Amino acid sequence: MTVRTRFAPSPTGYLHIGGVRTALFNWLFARQRGGQFILRIDDTDVARNVDEALEPILSGLKWLGIDWDEGPGVGGPHAPYFQSQRADRHRSAVDRLLASGHAYRDFATTAELDEERKAAQAAGKPFLYSRRFAAFTEADAARFATEGRQSVVRLKMPRESSLVIDDAVRGRVEFAWEREQDHVIQRADGSCLYHLASVVDDHDLEITHVIRAEEHLSNTPRQAFIALSLGYELPAYAHLPLVAEPGSRTKLSKRKLAQYLKNPDFKQVAEHGTRIAERIGLTADADTFNPVIVDFYREVGYLPWAIDNYLALLGWSYDDKTEFFSRDELISRFTLERINSSPASFDPKKLWAVQDHSMHALSVDEKLAFMLPFLVKAKLVADPVPPEAAATVRRVIEASGDRLKVGGDILAYADFFLVDEPPLDETAVKQRLAKPGVGDLMAKYAAAIRSVEPFEPAPLEEALKRVIEEAGVKVGDLVHAVRVAVTGKTVGPGLYDCLAILGREKSLVRLEKALPLCG
């Protein structure tokens, strides 16, 4: 049997971290088993669909390296891959269920159903529709129609016995049929609901394994009933653990950012990302720039494989010590049997550590190619990037070393090299330049480096040491002041690297312009 898995997002919003984890597990399982991974767009809920949201989903998956063998933009023998384009197949399935007696037309009004529901509640019993307005014959349907009633189509669920499935993650799961409602599968306007459409499409696309989030476990009885009633073979099921809030067992939600920001690690990641977003002209609000959606990490400059590597650890593990995997290692080692059924708490600090590890593995040239687009977006370099600008950024990356944690960090470390006059941080000026005696020290250092040869870190450091020894002051009294004078800020690559990268002329110009601000 050829394994065929699918990811079927609805175009109702951005690509959620939990959705990515589901897509990743489907993709890994298909790749590990030499099968196919299919992307289908479940767009039956017209009222909630957002056309603009489809592109972020497609581009987000591509960015993460989660490629599909069939689906939008790729095509395939099972097209179309949009549920809305498969309506004829769905209606045909409804007709078959009606003909076989596994479904019926129901003419009950909302008020009548509410009345039955309230009566059951008052009696302390679970609500189970009486089927009082069910039309099991054409005569019944005609009679109800003459009363001006409209009908929906409901499943005629069994009310005895149970459904048992062998879930690849949860083991044996049993559902009592008597607890299942007669679920609606077709609206009064003739459109079909998700549960019917999903089952038909999974069958038509020959999906062998339905690997999805735990929240869909309760949908399994009605979907299995539909499949069995249509004569379909059931797929293998694997219900994944929730991707939960930091330190919680509650599902991670895009709408609860304000709550999550009470977590220091989550807040640090969000604020770091917001600073980068502002530099590249993004609107950093909770709806469009949120650490619960994939676009946040792409725009900030996380490495796509770092995201995949971390998300693979949310509910799955290879052993009790291995945390970092290459793409091929993860594919070869992934199995459904190693998935844990307990909720997996999203940990921004752990993701940061995986990102940091992944950045360390890049060569300087790889970092350069990854980071230059951020400088282009911020309009600090032209597009295409001039060779001399690329050479400067390369030296900045070399000098910055492990300080660059994400791609967007280059904005804070390279900006002052790429402009003629960097703005000076007012607080830093007061703290570092305005101190008494700093002006005299900086003037002496400027004079000393006019003749330093070569204009490189080691000789520049020696020159500074001579100045402070002669003045009898601490290194920090001069180092911090010089950094603010030439870079405008208190953080960045090492001071002597900064001077060397700027060159003698620019360094002296900036030092001299800062002298009037010194104490």
Side-chain angles (χ1 to χ4, degrees):
M1 176 186 70
T2 299
V3 166
R4 288 174 62 85
T5 66
R6 52 80 166 169
F7 178 54
S10 298
T12 56
Y14 291 96
L15 193 55
H16 187 279
I17 283 292
V20 174
R21 198 279 309 270
T22 297
L24 177 66
F25 280 21
N26 275 277
W27 180 82
L28 286 170
F29 183 67
R31 294 290 175 262
Q32 198 276 332
R33 297 287 292 272
Q36 285 102 43
F37 171 65
I38 292 82
L39 179 64
R40 185 181 76 227
I41 306 302
D42 283 3
D43 56 347
T44 54
D45 191 347
V46 178
R48 295 181 61 230
N49 291 337
V50 180
D51 291 339
E52 297 79 7
L54 179 58
E55 179 53 33
I57 291 173
L58 300 181
S59 62
L61 291 173
K62 290 176 183 176
W63 175 69
L64 291 165
I66 302 176
D67 55 335
W68 50 97
D69 301 291
E70 297 178 31
V74 175
H78 300 82
Y81 295 96
F82 288 82
Q83 263 191 356
S84 60
Q85 299 172 14
R86 304 177 64 84
D88 289 346
R89 286 287 300 149
H90 307 152
R91 286 192 288 267
S92 176
V94 171
D95 291 342
R96 287 177 57 192
L97 291 170
L98 285 168
S100 65
H102 292 101
Y104 61 90
R105 295 195 181 280
D106 181 48
F107 288 81
T109 65
T110 301
E112 288 161 345
L113 289 171
D114 286 343
E115 184 180 344
E116 287 198 15
R117 189 175 289 107
K118 290 176 181 177
Q121 185 177 9
K125 297 179 181 180
F127 168 63
L128 203 60
Y129 177 41
S130 67
R131 299 173 181 165
R132 175 184 169 192
F133 298 95
F136 295 112
T137 68
E138 290 299 326
D140 289 337
R143 177 168 52 84
F144 287 131
T146 58
E147 297 176 9
R149 295 174 176 268
Q150 289 187 319
S151 68
V152 298
V153 177
R154 293 182 181 275
L155 294 173
K156 188 180 181 184
M157 298 296 289
R159 294 191 172 174
E160 295 180 352
S161 191
S162 60
L163 169 72
V164 177
I165 65 167
D166 185 17
D167 190 280
V169 174
R170 299 168 190 282
R172 186 180 187 274
V173 184
E174 184 172 359
F175 303 91
W177 287 124
E178 63 183 8
R179 296 181 181 177
E180 290 297 316
Q181 299 297 323
D182 286 359
H183 306 285
V184 175
I185 56 173
Q186 189 176 49
R187 302 178 182 92
D189 64 4
S191 62
C192 297
L193 275 73
Y194 162 78
H195 296 291
L196 181 285
S198 183
V199 171
V200 173
D201 292 347
D202 281 348
H203 173 263
D204 288 355
L205 269 61
E206 300 183 71
I207 301 303
T208 61
H209 293 72
V210 172
I211 303 170
R212 58 189 183 183
E214 175 188 351
E215 63 200 78
H216 292 288
L217 183 62
S218 61
N219 300 331
T220 304
R222 76 189 79 171
Q223 293 178 355
F225 177 76
I226 292 170
L228 294 171
S229 299
L230 291 169
Y232 300 165
E233 182 178 349
L234 292 183
Y237 291 103
H239 287 90
L240 308 176
L242 287 177
V243 175
E245 299 170 351
S248 170
R249 298 173 68 87
T250 304
K251 182 183 175 182
L252 188 69
S253 170
K254 172 180 176 288
R255 297 176 180 84
K256 297 169 70 173
L257 179 61
Q259 175 182 320
Y260 301 156
L261 292 181
K262 296 175 183 178
N263 177 298
D265 296 330
F266 209 104
K267 183 178 181 180
Q268 183 178 22
V269 167
E271 290 180 345
H272 185 194
T274 298
R275 288 193 294 271
I276 292 172
E278 291 171 349
R279 291 296 303 272
I280 58 179
L282 287 178
T283 301
D285 59 70
D287 288 329
T288 61
F289 202 73
N290 185 324
V292 175
I293 61 176
V294 166
D295 266 6
F296 173 91
Y297 299 97
R298 177 165 52 174
E299 297 293 355
V300 167
Y302 281 66
L303 292 163
W305 187 247
I307 302 292
D308 290 341
N309 190 154
Y310 173 69
L311 291 181
L313 302 176
L314 288 179
W316 175 88
S317 64
Y318 177 66
D319 53 31
D320 59 357
K321 58 179 185 273
T322 309
E323 295 182 330
F324 305 115
F325 301 88
S326 70
R327 180 187 180 96
D328 290 341
E329 287 172 341
L330 197 50
I331 289 173
S332 66
R333 296 175 182 180
F334 185 84
T335 62
L336 297 179
E337 290 74 20
R338 293 185 180 276
I339 298 175
N340 191 309
S341 61
S342 299
S345 178
F346 180 74
D347 184 352
K349 187 175 182 180
K350 181 63 179 178
L351 172 55
W352 183 264
V354 176
Q355 165 65 19
D356 188 31
H357 178 272
S358 300
M359 283 290 283
H360 287 177
L362 296 183
S363 67
V364 172
D365 287 336
E366 288 171 327
K367 289 181 180 179
L368 178 64
F370 182 52
M371 294 177 174
L372 280 175
F374 290 90
L375 297 169
V376 172
K377 285 183 181 179
K379 302 187 186 316
L380 288 168
V381 297
D383 185 17
V385 180
E388 60 273 18
T392 296
V393 176
R394 192 181 197 285
R395 292 190 68 184
V396 173
I397 291 172
E398 290 176 323
S400 300
D402 294 344
R403 297 181 185 91
L404 299 173
K405 304 297 186 183
V406 299
D409 282 346
I410 194 65
L411 298 172
Y413 280 77
D415 56 351
F416 45 82
F417 295 105
L418 302 170
V419 296
D420 291 332
E421 292 187 39
L424 302 184
D425 180 277
E426 294 183 5
T427 301
V429 168
K430 293 177 182 178
Q431 293 178 343
R432 301 301 185 186
L433 295 183
K435 286 184 176 181
V438 167
D440 182 53
L441 286 173
M442 196 144 63
K444 289 179 180 179
Y445 185 59
I449 65 174
R450 286 182 184 277
S451 57
V452 163
E453 291 293 347
F455 202 79
E456 293 296 335
L460 290 166
E461 182 177 8
E462 287 300 318
L464 187 138
K465 286 181 178 178
R466 288 195 297 270
V467 170
I468 63 167
E469 286 174 2
E470 291 174 4
V473 297
K474 297 177 181 179
V475 171
D477 293 336
L478 182 54
V479 165
H480 298 310
V482 172
R483 174 183 288 282
V484 173
V486 298
T487 72
K489 57 185 71 177
T490 58
V491 296
L495 171 62
Y496 309 111
D497 288 306
C498 289
L499 294 168
I501 294 169
L502 280 169
R504 192 189 313 272
E505 182 179 346
K506 284 186 177 180
S507 295
L508 288 171
V509 167
R510 294 185 183 187
L511 286 171
E512 289 167 1
K513 284 189 174 182
L515 286 175
L517 303 174
C518 296

